[in-house]
């Protein structure tokens, strides 16, 4: 896990692909917090699902802006 974090710190990738079965939830959360905009792709060989996560930081000044953000 530490080698993965060091590689991310060095290379600043846009996307990280991880095996869901071997990913520590705490480490996964830290990735999203420490690297806003990073797309994390979790692959699950057991059920053939792909889950994607991205943390974004957005300043919202009015309720209408929040609504637009939620709707996409």
């Amino acid at each position: 896990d530490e080698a993965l974090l060091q590689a991310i710190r060095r290379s600043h990738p846009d996307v990280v692909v991880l095996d869901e079965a071997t990913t520590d939830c705490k480490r996964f959360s830290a990735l999203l917090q420490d690297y806003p905009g990073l797309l994390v792709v979790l692959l699950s060989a057991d059920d053939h699902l792909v889950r994607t996560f991205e943390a974004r930081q957005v300043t919202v000044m009015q309720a209408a802006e929040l609504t637009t953000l939620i709707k996409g």
Side-chain angles (χ1 to χ4, degrees):
D1 285 352
E2 188 58 36
L4 170 67
L5 290 177
Q6 287 178 6
I8 291 170
R9 285 185 196 113
R10 278 193 313 271
S11 61
H12 302 283
D14 295 325
V15 178
V16 174
V17 180
L18 302 170
D19 179 356
E20 189 175 54
T22 60
T23 300
D24 176 13
C25 289
K26 289 179 185 177
R27 188 82 60 190
F28 168 70
S29 309
L31 280 176
L32 291 174
Q33 281 187 340
D34 294 345
Y35 301 96
L38 176 67
L39 176 63
V40 177
V41 178
L42 291 179
L43 303 177
S44 173
D46 294 335
D47 55 12
H48 305 284
L49 288 177
V50 175
R51 294 172 179 86
T52 61
F53 301 88
E54 181 178 15
R56 295 187 296 159
Q57 295 180 354
V58 179
T59 301
V60 176
M61 302 301 286
Q62 299 177 5
E65 293 171 332
L66 178 59
T67 304
T68 300
L69 179 67
I70 292 169
K71 289 183 178 180

